[in-house]
Amino acid sequence: MSGGTGVIDTNSAVTKPELPQALGIALATGQLRRPLVQTLRPLLDLLADGPYRIDGPERLEDERVLTPTGGWPPPDTTRVEYYRTAIQSGHRPVAVLLEAGDQGLILDGHHKIAAYRAEEVSPSVLRISSSK
C-alpha cells in the first residue's frame, strides 16, 4: 500500500488536518472496517508517497515511549475524561502511530493515549510504518 503525495509537518504551528467524521468515529469507537488501507485512506493521503505497512489494532507495550505531534498533555480535559469513561466501560478507542525506527509518533489519538495512561491500561493502536 502506498501513501499520498502530501506530508505531515509536525513542526508547523498550523492545526493538524481534520480527519473525515466517519474515520474519527471509527477510531474513537475502535470499530474499524477492513481493509484498513481503505478505512485509513484520508490519513494515508497525508503521507509522502511510498510503501507503508499497517498493523493492528493491537495493544501497545506499556514501556513504549511515544512522541506527540501536538501539545502534551492534550488541552481538552473533557475529551480525555470522555475516553477514560469509554475505557472504563470496556471500549478500546484506537490511536494511530507513525513508526519511525524506535520512535512512535502519535498522528491521531493524543486524548486517547492520555486517557489510557490515566487509566493504566495499555493503549489500542494502529501502527503505520515504512515498508522499505
Side-chain angles (χ1 to χ4, degrees), residues 94-111:
V94 179
V96 180
L97 306 179
L98 178 62
E99 302 264 302
D102 292 341
Q103 192 172 20
L105 301 171
I106 306 170
L107 292 185
D108 179 75
H110 292 77
H111 295 91

Side-chain angles (χ1 to χ4, degrees), residues 12-116:
S12 173
V14 177
T15 306
K16 77 174 188 169
E18 287 295 318
L19 298 179
Q21 184 178 17
L23 178 55
I25 291 170
L27 292 169
T29 61
Q31 302 297 312
L32 297 168
R33 293 191 180 131
R34 304 281 183 191
L36 288 174
V37 67
Q38 290 175 350
T39 301
L40 295 176
R41 177 54 56 199
L43 183 61
L44 295 171
D45 285 344
L46 299 173
L47 300 176
D49 197 27
Y52 294 91
R53 176 183 166 140
I54 302 172
D55 293 302
E58 60 192 23
R59 296 306 197 137
L60 186 69
E61 307 86 36
D62 290 333
E63 67 278 352
R64 182 71 192 271
V65 175
L66 300 176
T67 302
T69 55
W72 195 264
D76 188 348
T77 57
T78 302
R79 194 76 180 149
V80 173
E81 287 304 315
Y82 167 82
Y83 285 121
R84 286 186 74 176
T85 300
I87 293 165
Q88 291 166 2
S89 299
H91 296 283
R92 295 298 176 252
V94 179
V96 180
L97 306 179
L98 178 62
E99 302 264 302
D102 292 341
Q103 192 172 20
L105 301 171
I106 306 170
L107 292 185
D108 179 75
H110 292 77
H111 295 91
K112 296 168 197 159
I113 296 292
Y116 274 115

